[in-house]
Amino acid sequence: TLISLIPRLYDVTEGKVLIGGADVRRISLTSLRQKIGIVLQNSILFTGTVGDNLRFGNQQADMAELLQAVADAQADFVTGLPQQLDSPVEQRGRNFSGGQKQRLSIARSLAAQPDILILDDSSSALDFATDAALRKALKTLPAAMTVFIVSQRASSLRHADLILVLDEGRLVGQGTHEELLRTCGVYRDICQSQFQKEEQVG
């Protein structure tokens, strides 16, 4: 719900959403949405080639930029495909697994070089090691890019500058990982539960 307010999928009924100090309602929809890259949990690819999909948000992207986006998104499997970027993508990407589609969708948004990148539970199909590698790569992105991560995995958020904890649609805590461990019981319980499971998997 909160994330949908940024690209104005609908507008606030109270208060304001500001980007660079400007109310999003005073920015044209075209201009606003050109600044934003969104990757959803249920990733959708388009019929064509891998390269076609990656260029969807940036037709001018060159080979080096596409390969960098692929690397940052942990979609290195692309370089192992027989035709690499020219490899075919079937309707809705059905010839790729859920995790591969998520990584290609992330690469597509990175190739567009948005000012704001929104990852809406977009690593849910990734294993913990790939998710960790993705988080590490995101930290190397240009500082000018603002990244929003929506996730039920605490490990995906622990290095964020600011974490908002929602419980039943209400904000129950905000701060860094360390601050929330001290001040937010809901966040602490989530972390203890999930990190124990990750250690068992690891």
Side-chain angles (χ1 to χ4, degrees):
T1 300
L2 291 175
I3 289 301
S4 297
L5 298 173
I6 300 173
R8 292 190 64 198
L9 299 183
Y10 48 85
D11 284 327
V12 294
T13 53
E14 296 181 29
K16 299 177 181 179
V17 177
L18 305 178
I19 293 181
D23 190 322
V24 293
R25 291 169 294 186
R26 297 183 177 278
I27 304 173
S28 73
L29 277 180
T30 300
S31 176
L32 175 66
R33 292 176 180 174
Q34 285 177 342
K35 299 175 182 292
I36 302 170
I38 302 179
V39 185
L40 303 176
Q41 179 179 9
N42 297 319
S43 304
I44 297 177
L45 301 179
F46 309 106
T47 304
T49 68
V50 170
D52 293 337
N53 274 268
L54 297 185
R55 289 191 183 91
F56 185 76
N58 181 6
Q59 295 296 322
Q60 309 307 316
D62 59 30
M63 183 71 72
E65 290 171 329
L66 294 182
L67 291 176
Q68 184 61 55
V70 163
D72 289 339
Q74 308 307 302
D76 295 327
F77 65 88
V78 169
T79 58
L81 296 174
Q83 296 172 267
Q84 298 191 4
L85 292 177
D86 291 325
S87 298
V89 177
E90 296 179 7
Q91 187 176 28
R92 300 180 69 85
R94 63 189 177 195
N95 55 324
F96 293 97
S97 69
Q100 289 174 330
K101 287 193 288 188
Q102 283 190 337
R103 284 176 280 171
L104 286 174
S105 294
I106 293 170
R108 180 172 59 201
S109 283
L110 291 176
Q113 301 176 2
D115 294 335
I116 297 173
L117 177 63
I118 298 174
L119 303 177
D120 190 355
D121 216 8
S122 56
S123 61
S124 59
L126 306 185
D127 58 54
F128 290 119
T130 303
D131 188 24
L134 174 61
R135 294 196 308 272
K136 184 175 180 180
L138 291 176
K139 291 176 66 176
T140 68
L141 294 176
M145 185 185 296
T146 300
V147 180
F148 289 90
I149 301 174
V150 181
S151 180
Q152 298 179 44
R153 281 186 185 176
S155 59
S156 297
L157 308 170
R158 63 187 302 174
H159 299 296
D161 298 321
L162 176 65
I163 301 171
L164 304 179
V165 184
L166 300 179
D167 185 25
E168 300 294 336
R170 294 184 178 276
L171 182 68
V172 296
Q174 58 180 315
T176 64
H177 172 73
E178 291 75 16
E179 291 169 345
L180 289 170
L181 286 178
R182 295 194 306 269
T183 63
C184 181
V186 172
Y187 185 78
R188 187 165 53 249
D189 291 344
I190 292 172
C191 287
Q192 290 174 346
S193 172
Q194 293 187 1
F195 291 158
Q196 285 174 358
K197 290 180 181 178
E198 289 184 27
E199 288 172 359
Q200 292 171 1
V201 172

